[in-house]
Amino acid sequence: MLHFVRDGMPMITVREALQHILNTVPLLGLEKTAITDARDRVLGEDVRAPRDIPPRTNSAMDGYALRAEDITGASAANPKALTVTEDIPAGHPSDKAVGPGEAARIMTGAALPEGADTMVKVEDTESDGSVVRIFAEAPLGEHVRYRGEDVKAGEIVVPRGTLIRPAEIGMMASVGRSSVYVYRKPVVAILATGDEIVDLDEDPEQGKIISSNTYSLYSQVVECGGIPRNAGIAKDTRDDLLAHFRAALGADIILSSGGVSVGDYDFVKDVMKEVGTGIEFWQVAQRPGKPLAFGKMGNTLVFGLPGNPVSSMITFEQYVRPAILKMTGHRNIFRRTVTAVLTEDVEKKKGLRYFFRARVTYADGEYRAATTGEQGSGILKSMVLANGIMVIPEEVTALKAGDRVIVQLLDNSLFCDAEPSYL
Ligand code: AMP
Ligand code: MG
């Protein structure tokens, strides 16, 4: 959809911008990582079991390994007496078979001796060391864990593309893997711009503004699995911007913030054209974040994020986060959305998609959402108070309390309880 053209660039829709970015981003290569560092990464290979798990048929109980047929009809009133052949601790397999009328004392996890087919737990027995009396019969195979019952040799235990959680890490360890291939993390250079911007260790006197974007973006990058690098603060000159962009070119992604609007000192677009293959789009029909620019410099993806603190965070959420997740092999690259009942009236401009910062609650089977107050793109507090982002379509101009809206959830707080509900 073409809205209007400025600097030869048509403004595009949120949908077009997202599709363009997701069609452009590459799938990153693989790297080997220790399984202890693999959590939250996406597996880049099929992990197979080289041998059966468990490797031997073994006991699930402390008790006696015997033949089920020898204790048919056993009860407290009618115990069956068997000869104890030996004592088998876990980790010390025995090659002595259990014959008819015999039983071996055996611990949980110890390999079942040849001839035995069933376990009777120690509580159902009484022994003087050489003879054991069995007080209960047992079905064939009771309390026996069979070789390969969890995993068979050659089986894929964790397939390529799996998001690695502690369970997968345990499984990979159980098949003997101390390291695995995962999709590598992108290096993301974070470049602030602006003569009025200083870093934390500089003097914010004389009306200077501390580069909060550097740090909110840094943490957003970490949250979705990228490796952030602080690429500093460029002055509002072509030359300084150019130098900072050039210095950041080794990264997989450059996130600049600011300098991308229509002001006299907004040189980011010029520099993107000069260094790279140009801008692929600039300006998206959205609020906040309209001046967003996207392009490439060689293999480096460049997001020219707007400078306002809320705009930079929201455009990261909508475009950069899904891009990073896709590049690193994730399948579920979008935030969970819910439909919520609006608890206040809201108004907006026609033609732009709005991302209102929202507080979402859940009660009586229903989500409710309200904006977090003043919604200016410089009001970082509106993000601090938010656990969701209300997404209001382009054509809407006003919504009333009671209307339904779609909200992206920024965290899992709604699905976690302070107290267990089942105690
Ligand atoms: P710009 O698009 O460069 O005009 O920036 C828009 C607004 O965002 C200005 O008020 C800037 O002061 C502010 N801004 C730009 N960069 C940053 C930053 N790194 N941290 C915080 N605020 C910023
Ligand atoms: Mg600026």
Side-chain angles (χ1 to χ4, degrees):
M1 193 199 306
L2 203 145
H3 296 258
F4 65 88
V5 174
R6 184 180 243 159
D7 280 11
M9 280 266 145
M11 180 157 75
I12 64 173
T13 64
V14 168
R15 184 190 172 83
E16 288 164 341
L18 189 58
Q19 275 174 350
H20 181 93
I21 289 166
L22 294 179
N23 288 336
T24 302
V25 300
L27 185 61
L28 294 177
L30 304 179
E31 67 182 6
K32 208 170 188 178
T33 187
I35 59 167
T36 43
D37 294 324
R39 194 178 69 92
D40 285 347
R41 308 287 294 273
V42 178
L43 189 62
E45 59 170 320
D46 287 334
V47 171
R48 289 177 189 272
R51 45 194 115 71
D52 289 340
I53 304 173
R56 311 180 91 127
T57 297
N58 67 87
S59 171
M61 287 283 174
D62 293 329
Y64 289 84
L66 44 71
R67 296 159 174 261
E69 62 189 33
D70 283 353
I71 58 165
T72 308
S75 68
N78 178 30
K80 300 278 180 186
L82 302 174
T83 306
V84 178
T85 55
E86 63 178 328
D87 215 321
I88 310 176
H92 301 275
S94 156
D95 48 20
K96 201 190 282 181
V98 169
E102 293 179 340
R105 174 99 171 96
I106 171 172
M107 301 301 138
T108 304
L112 232 64
E114 207 51 45
D117 55 28
T118 302
M119 283 297 307
V120 171
K121 57 183 193 292
V122 71
E123 295 87 332
D124 294 335
T125 69
E126 199 176 87
S127 169
D128 64 6
S130 56
V131 172
V132 61
R133 300 196 310 149
I134 311 285
F135 299 121
E137 60 179 359
L140 181 71
E142 172 113 301
H143 302 316
V144 173
R145 301 192 287 219
Y146 290 97
R147 171 178 178 158
E149 75 174 21
D150 187 2
V151 171
K152 299 258 183 300
E155 183 182 332
I156 295 174
V157 288
V158 191
R160 169 193 274 264
T162 302
L163 175 61
I164 300 171
R165 306 167 303 160
E168 281 75 28
I169 290 175
M171 179 57 92
M172 295 187 301
S174 79
V175 300
R177 296 293 298 271
S178 57
S179 62
V180 290
Y181 281 98
V182 296
Y183 291 93
R184 75 175 177 85
K185 299 176 168 201
V187 172
V188 184
I190 297 167
L191 173 59
T193 72
D195 289 355
E196 79 283 28
I197 308 296
V198 293
D199 209 339
L200 274 176
D201 53 1
E202 294 169 83
D203 183 4
E205 283 308 294
Q206 287 145 4
K208 300 269 187 192
I209 290 166
I210 295 174
S211 181
S212 60
N213 292 353
T214 299
Y215 297 94
S216 49
L217 290 170
Y218 193 99
S219 138
Q220 286 181 295
V221 168
V222 170
E223 196 196 0
C224 63
I227 302 171
R229 299 256 190 270
N230 186 348
I233 302 169
K235 294 279 178 223
D236 284 323
T237 64
R238 245 173 210 280
D239 285 351
D240 200 40
L241 254 186
L242 201 54
H244 277 82
F245 265 101
R246 286 223 159 97
L249 277 182
D252 296 293
I253 299 175
I254 297 176
L255 302 179
S256 67
S257 69
V260 78
S261 296
V262 290
D264 292 342
Y265 300 95
D266 290 337
F267 293 124
V268 166
K269 301 188 298 298
D270 298 350
V271 167
M272 281 173 72
K273 282 181 200 150
E274 201 163 325
V275 183
T277 38
I279 302 178
E280 297 182 8
F281 67 75
W282 173 57
Q283 296 209 119
V284 181
Q286 62 188 359
R287 178 171 293 174
K290 190 168 95 179
L292 174 67
F294 175 76
K296 269 188 241 133
M297 294 181 175
N299 290 327
T300 305
L301 302 173
V302 181
F303 292 82
L305 307 180
N308 274 304
V310 176
S311 312
S312 88
M313 286 195 77
I314 292 280
T315 47
F316 183 98
E317 262 297 322
Q318 302 309 317
Y319 305 104
V320 186
R321 181 178 184 274
I324 291 177
L325 290 175
K326 183 165 184 204
M327 291 168 83
T328 48
H330 288 261
R331 294 192 192 120
N332 299 319
I333 63 173
F334 297 109
R335 295 286 193 191
R336 175 167 182 171
T337 59
V338 296
T339 300
V341 176
L342 198 56
T343 59
E344 63 184 346
D345 298 349
V346 297
E347 286 185 358
K348 67 179 274 294
K349 217 172 124 176
K350 196 178 166 88
L352 300 178
R353 182 167 305 192
Y354 274 43
F355 299 106
F356 284 121
R357 279 70 72 206
R359 190 80 219 157
V360 192
T361 54
Y362 181 79
D364 308 323
E366 196 167 73
Y367 295 97
R368 294 192 176 80
T371 60
T372 52
E374 177 55 51
Q375 293 288 300
S377 57
I379 310 289
L380 194 48
K381 205 194 283 176
S382 72
M383 283 300 297
V384 172
L385 296 173
N387 62 346
I389 299 172
M390 244 185 245
V391 187
I392 315 290
E394 289 78 356
E395 66 279 6
V396 173
T397 54
L399 288 166
K400 293 264 168 252
D403 286 347
R404 282 170 195 280
V405 290
I406 289 191
V407 190
Q408 299 170 334
L409 298 177
L410 292 172
D411 58 50
N412 284 329
S413 54
L414 284 180
F415 306 108
C416 299
D417 295 331
E419 307 265 331
S421 60
Y422 46 82
L423 293 184

